[in-house]
Amino acid sequence: MRIHCPLCGERDRREFYVKGAAMERPAGNAGLDDWHAYVHLRENPAGVLAELWYHEMGCGSWLSVTRDTATHEVLKVELASALGLGGAA
Ligand SMILES: [Zn+2]
């Protein structure tokens, strides 16, 4: 699988670390149910899913990668920071 990093260009997926589903982090004062859902609950579709990927062996950017999990076709790649998604582990 190849991922087109917006800063580095097309790269092999082995240059990246995948964190999981790209989800918006709850506010600091959010309730336990919101934090439980953010930390523990994930969709696992056989289909289109947006995930956070870290370009570990490249520019060090967090990316939102939208791909089809059944075919591994990458549909869209965006900088996570541009979407307001935090990726830091
Ligand atoms: Zn990069």
Side-chain angles (χ1 to χ4, degrees):
M1 188 171 95
R2 308 281 293 178
I3 296 173
H4 188 96
C5 174
L7 301 178
C8 303
E10 188 174 295
R11 296 289 194 267
D12 189 271
R13 65 149 310 275
R14 289 174 288 191
E15 290 189 10
F16 297 82
Y17 162 82
V18 62
K19 182 177 181 184
M23 302 168 59
E24 202 168 312
R25 186 183 176 101
N29 61 353
L32 286 178
D33 288 345
D34 290 336
W35 281 103
H36 170 67
Y38 177 73
V39 174
H40 301 289
L41 303 180
R42 295 289 183 272
E43 297 290 328
N44 190 21
V48 176
L49 178 67
E51 300 170 309
L52 282 177
W53 289 67
Y54 178 63
H55 199 178
E56 186 173 43
M57 299 179 75
C59 63
S61 294
W62 283 96
L63 308 175
S64 174
V65 176
T66 303
R67 69 182 181 101
D68 188 320
T69 60
T71 65
H72 302 293
E73 180 185 4
V74 176
L75 304 169
K76 184 169 47 172
V77 182
E78 301 169 275
L79 289 173
S81 60
L83 302 173
L85 297 171

